[in-house]
Amino acid sequence: MKKLLPTSTVGSLPKPLWLAEPETLWSPWKLEGDALIEGKQDALRVALQEQLHAGVDIISDGEQTRQHFVTTFIEHLSGVDFENRKTVKIRDRYDASVPVVVDAVARQKPVFVEDARFLRQQTRQPIKWALPGPMTMVDTLYDDHYNSREQLAWEFAKILNQEARELEAAGVDIIQFDEPAFNVFFDEVNDWGIAALERAVEGLKCETAVHICYGYGIKANTDWKKTLGSEWRQYEEIFPKLQASKIDIISLECHNSRVPVDLLELIRGKKVMVGAIDVATHSIETPEEVADTLRNALQFVDADKLYPCTNCGMAPLPRSVATAKLEALNAGAEIVRQELLAAD
Ligand SMILES: [Zn+2]
């Protein structure tokens, strides 16, 4: 029988401090050359081990081989100048130093396929691989060539599809596209964002997911959340079109957030990765708090479609905090799993 409530993380985990500066986004590597390659692989082994030890069911690479979930992918493409970076406001919220698109973008070689193959060799558990979504890529760079967000997103979607097909061939079970920008630019999401995402998953036979959140627990994001009022209804704008899309799984922020849980009714029928761990605080959830969030979601998500998860990536957290949160997630999921089995 297939396991009920299989757990996973959104993707990123903290890096060991011998590999990169801890608790920092865009943290520079501490190693170079062959030592860096080996260091990344060792960090991936540690991330795998920590997930297995905590009881995580669907394993990710912890994003140990990338500096950032969007810019690392962009920097591997031709047509991009990543040395002369520019500072732009991303997600309509905060300044970031980003690569510049200077010419037609293309993927000359695989970006993460070797890393995925390496992870595949290390475990028989199902594995999930995260890629940036086309709209979030467009929103995390400076475009000096296309002058059209939609057209550039379409080019990225074709590139992402090439990468995704090779990840699938390498044995990845779930390919996830991270689209925090979906929570900001609703008109664009409905006009072309979801269409671009569907172009990125074209022809895939593995499962596909989209992750939409309120961001890492950095100050710009927590300040932004304070402006959103008592009910966060952003998801409502895009759920109807997502429900009708070809994407199999939708990954959402549900814990400690002000998202009204009944919005999940709008995506009934989809599998939902329910965020039950808050990444914006260092305090560790109790298993009972995790269980509560999952029980609330169960009113609107069928039990066989509910995947307990984290709200977002845990890259900026201290390692000890991230490890404890992984354990809380699994302990909370186990409580609800037993309740469901007892009621069956
Ligand atoms: Zn996120």
Side-chain angles (χ1 to χ4, degrees), residues 187 211 244 251 290 297 300 302 340:
D187 290 344
H211 166 65
S251 161
V290 170
F300 305 99
D302 297 339
L340 288 167

Side-chain angles (χ1 to χ4, degrees), residues 10 178 180 211-216 253 311-313:
V10 159
D178 294 333
H211 166 65
I212 308 161
C213 64
Y214 290 80
Y216 287 131
E253 174 163 341
N311 274 355
C312 189

Side-chain angles (χ1 to χ4, degrees), residues 4 100 172 188 283 301 331 344:
L4 268 175
V100 180
V172 172
E188 286 182 319
S283 79
V301 184
D344 208 4

Side-chain angles (χ1 to χ4, degrees), residues 4-271:
L4 268 175
L5 309 184
T7 57
S8 61
T9 71
V10 159
S12 71
L13 290 171
K15 294 187 181 78
L17 59 80
W18 42 260
L19 181 62
E21 198 60 45
E23 297 175 54
T24 318
L25 286 182
W26 282 285
S27 174
W29 301 112
K30 288 188 180 173
L31 305 171
E32 11 179 289
D34 288 346
L36 177 59
I37 295 170
E38 196 174 309
K40 287 173 173 176
Q41 289 191 340
D42 288 345
L44 203 153
R45 285 185 176 99
V46 172
L48 164 65
Q49 194 55 39
E50 289 193 334
Q51 291 172 83
L52 292 177
H53 188 259
V56 174
D57 299 297
I58 301 166
I59 302 295
S60 82
D61 65 326
E63 303 187 6
Q64 299 295 304
T65 66
R66 46 190 123 173
Q67 205 174 36
H68 184 265
F69 78 102
V70 186
T71 52
T72 296
F73 189 84
I74 294 173
E75 286 172 9
H76 279 77
L77 308 179
S78 59
V80 178
D81 180 349
F82 52 89
E83 276 162 9
N84 302 301
R85 299 165 83 95
K86 284 203 173 161
T87 297
V88 299
K89 191 180 279 296
I90 67 171
R91 294 341 146 242
D92 217 10
R93 218 173 302 153
Y94 59 95
D95 287 338
S97 169
V98 294
V100 180
V101 172
V102 292
D103 204 344
V105 289
R107 173 182 167 273
Q108 308 292 350
K109 54 183 189 306
V111 180
F112 294 128
V113 178
E114 275 310 311
D115 297 333
R117 212 168 272 144
F118 180 78
L119 177 61
R120 180 72 289 171
Q121 286 165 0
Q122 312 291 318
T123 178
R124 290 185 169 180
Q125 295 287 113
I127 62 176
K128 174 162 76 82
W129 203 271
L131 294 172
M135 178 180 282
T136 297
M137 288 173 75
V138 168
D139 196 55
T140 315
L141 51 74
Y142 184 85
D143 171 25
D144 218 358
H145 180 73
Y146 291 91
N147 300 313
S148 157
R149 278 162 69 95
E150 179 177 356
Q151 197 195 335
L152 180 52
W154 201 252
E155 295 305 316
F156 282 147
K158 289 191 265 182
I159 288 169
L160 287 163
N161 188 248
Q162 297 165 1
E163 177 81 3
R165 284 169 188 247
E166 291 182 28
L167 288 170
E168 177 187 84
V172 172
D173 302 281
I174 301 172
I175 297 176
Q176 171 183 305
F177 295 87
D178 294 333
E179 282 287 27
F182 272 19
N183 233 354
V184 184
F185 308 107
F186 313 120
D187 290 344
E188 286 182 319
V189 174
N190 286 307
D191 283 351
W192 52 261
I194 293 170
L197 194 58
E198 289 190 310
R199 177 63 184 87
V201 306
E202 203 174 277
L204 294 179
K205 286 175 279 301
C206 67
E207 287 204 292
T208 57
V210 59
H211 166 65
I212 308 161
C213 64
Y214 290 80
Y216 287 131
I218 57 174
K219 188 170 182 303
N221 291 336
T222 47
D223 286 349
W224 171 59
K225 290 180 187 185
K226 284 178 196 153
T227 70
L228 297 177
S230 59
E231 275 205 338
W232 299 352
R233 304 196 73 91
Q234 283 72 18
Y235 288 152
E236 194 169 24
E237 307 275 344
I238 58 170
F239 272 3
K241 234 181 174 157
L242 270 179
Q243 207 283 335
S245 76
K246 283 184 265 181
I247 306 298
D248 301 307
I249 306 169
I250 303 176
S251 161
L252 300 169
E253 174 163 341
C254 301
H255 191 73
N256 278 353
S257 83
R258 300 198 187 129
V259 175
V261 70
D262 61 354
L263 291 184
L264 294 175
E265 187 64 46
L266 295 171
I267 46 169
R268 178 79 79 169
K270 292 291 186 195
K271 293 173 180 164

